[in-house]
Amino acid sequence: MSDMQDNGHHHDHDHAHGHRHPFQPDLEDGDYSYYQVMTEAVIELLVGKKVITAEELRSTIEVIDSKSPVFGARLIARAWVDPAFKARMLEDVISAAGELGIDAGAIPIRAVENTTAVHNVIVCTLCSCYPRSLIGLPPDWYKARAYRSRVVREPRAVLKEFGTQIPVDVEVRVHDSTADLRYMVLPARPSGTGDLDEEALADLVTRDCMIGTALPKSA
Amino acid sequence: MRRHHDMGGLDAGPVVQNEHDFAPWEKRVDAVLRLLSGPERRLITVDELRRGIEDLGPGAYDEMSYYERWIASITNNLIEKGVLNIDELGLKMADVEARWDADRAAKNETQNEGVK
């Protein structure tokens, strides 16, 4: 699990304590939900019918857990130090990721570049499409009604709620993702970072920078 | 006229910036969808998943949590496709529930022993 997704907010029966046997529900937390029972039943039936195996399920969860914003941040740091790479990344994110040995999956991802004139932000108004292969699983608010409804209409107000103020002379562009095309924001390199190497630059790039709700920390 | 999932541009309250670590069962739902939609099986497409979620209707869509919507849609898709049938699902759910209740009862007993 990415530590960037852990800020201690928990939601009813959705507790995760990280020490549980993978085939046990949240027994120590008391009640389990109807849909947790359904999940277990469906899995047991699918395994029983040999549609999937328990081993495949385990290894797929490992793949999900392995995805984190670290991958996206590495791409961005490389783009900041290598203009030719950046050009290739803007052309084709998946193949650029491949150059760094990062598997960005099969669904096209388009990088949208922040400049002094344009700030980009991403959303999926219809559901929750998100560049998971490069940023990990989407945070709850990305999938929730308020963000999906409002960010396309009043992005500056929404960004302000995240503590991100975009100057009025900078255009804000909102990109609505679909199942067939996801976006990621390529933030601008912060000033005062001329001395930093690629690794240190990558540390400045958080998940929210790649969603567009935050700007990279200055060094 | 728009359907309830099509919410871009509507009014809504402030963005509540809540997040949680995904529970093991949520990751299992995610993994099941990946396996069923992957190139080896192609049993459910992402579009079928979404159609199933949108068909839950406005009330359920807003009341259920994200992965609850997913497992509901996955299950309905599997029933429609004849991979699962509703009777075996009902039996298996009763079975899982009985097992979990028994596990929990046994665990509580052990804990009570411990404090004596």
Side-chain angles (χ1 to χ4, degrees):
Chain A
M1 188 83 254
S2 154
D3 57 1
M4 311 195 61
Q5 283 169 332
D6 182 13
N7 66 357
H9 291 265
H10 289 289
H11 171 269
D12 276 354
H13 48 260
D14 290 341
H15 289 202
H17 299 250
H19 58 257
R20 219 164 267 127
H21 186 284
F23 287 89
Q24 288 297 308
D26 304 358
L27 293 182
E28 68 259 44
D29 288 348
D31 284 343
Y32 45 80
S33 74
Y34 174 80
Y35 291 100
Q36 279 171 270
V37 174
M38 181 182 277
T39 300
E40 188 60 26
V42 167
I43 288 171
E44 287 182 17
L45 288 170
L46 290 174
V47 171
K49 291 169 187 279
K50 301 193 177 4
V51 177
I52 63 174
T53 67
E55 169 58 23
E56 284 173 318
L57 194 67
R58 192 192 57 73
S59 62
T60 305
I61 291 170
E62 279 179 11
V63 171
I64 293 168
D65 280 342
S66 74
K67 303 298 182 189
S68 92
V70 167
F71 295 110
R74 277 179 54 204
L75 247 70
I76 284 158
R78 175 63 61 87
W80 284 346
V81 299
D82 181 348
F85 179 85
K86 181 167 95 175
R88 293 196 296 279
M89 179 178 167
L90 290 170
E91 191 66 37
D92 183 345
V93 169
I94 291 176
S95 91
E99 289 181 39
L100 303 189
I102 297 168
D103 177 7
I107 300 161
I109 299 170
R110 181 169 299 158
V112 287
E113 186 184 8
N114 287 350
T115 64
T116 51
V118 176
H119 178 83
N120 295 284
V121 57
I122 65 170
V123 64
C124 174
T125 61
L126 291 174
C127 43
S128 57
C129 301
Y130 187 77
R132 301 159 52 127
S133 57
L134 295 175
I135 319 193
L137 295 174
D140 294 346
W141 54 261
Y142 184 87
K143 304 180 284 191
R145 177 169 289 276
Y147 184 78
R148 287 164 54 190
S149 300
R150 289 178 50 227
V151 77
V152 289
R153 183 151 127 194
E154 42 177 3
R156 285 173 202 276
V158 170
L159 293 181
K160 213 167 157 183
E161 288 167 30
F162 282 88
T164 302
Q165 211 139 357
I166 305 299
V168 283
D169 58 339
V170 174
E171 180 190 345
V172 176
R173 287 187 193 155
V174 183
H175 303 268
D176 196 355
S177 316
T178 69
D180 306 309
L181 177 63
R182 281 94 198 263
Y183 296 94
M184 72 182 289
V185 175
L186 170 51
R189 180 171 175 168
S191 55
T193 57
D195 294 341
L196 298 185
D197 65 12
E198 208 176 311
E199 209 180 315
L201 287 170
D203 285 342
L204 305 179
V205 183
T206 64
R207 178 197 70 200
D208 288 5
C209 297
M210 295 181 273
I211 298 176
T213 49
L215 298 171
K217 301 165 272 191
S218 306
Chain B
M1 180 63 190
R2 53 162 104 194
R3 292 186 74 196
H4 55 280
H5 67 277
D6 183 8
M7 57 186 73
L10 298 177
D11 285 329
V15 177
V16 181
Q17 290 165 47
N18 58 343
E19 309 185 24
H20 74 288
D21 274 354
F22 294 93
W25 80 271
E26 295 179 298
K27 290 187 193 174
R28 282 157 70 74
V29 173
D30 205 295
V32 166
L33 191 268
R34 278 191 189 218
L35 288 169
L36 296 178
S37 64
E40 292 89 22
R41 295 177 188 80
R42 298 193 189 283
L43 269 171
I44 299 181
T45 68
V46 174
D47 300 302
E48 287 172 321
L49 173 77
R50 250 190 66 194
R51 191 263 307 158
I53 290 169
E54 289 157 10
D55 284 354
L56 293 170
Y61 189 95
D62 288 319
E63 280 159 27
M64 291 162 73
S65 76
Y66 186 73
Y67 282 108
E68 287 176 349
R69 298 196 293 254
W70 273 42
I71 191 61
S73 173
I74 290 168
T75 305
N76 284 337
N77 270 286
L78 290 172
I79 291 168
E80 281 173 12
K81 288 165 194 282
V83 178
L84 304 181
N85 75 62
I86 190 84
D87 294 330
E88 65 184 351
L89 178 67
L91 288 171
K92 183 59 92 175
M93 284 182 70
D95 175 47
V96 168
E97 202 160 354
R99 200 164 3 113
W100 285 0
D101 282 343
D103 282 357
R104 188 163 53 174
K107 194 168 178 178
N108 288 342
E109 206 155 298
T110 318
Q111 277 169 354
N112 291 341
E113 294 289 317
V115 291
K116 268 174 202 166

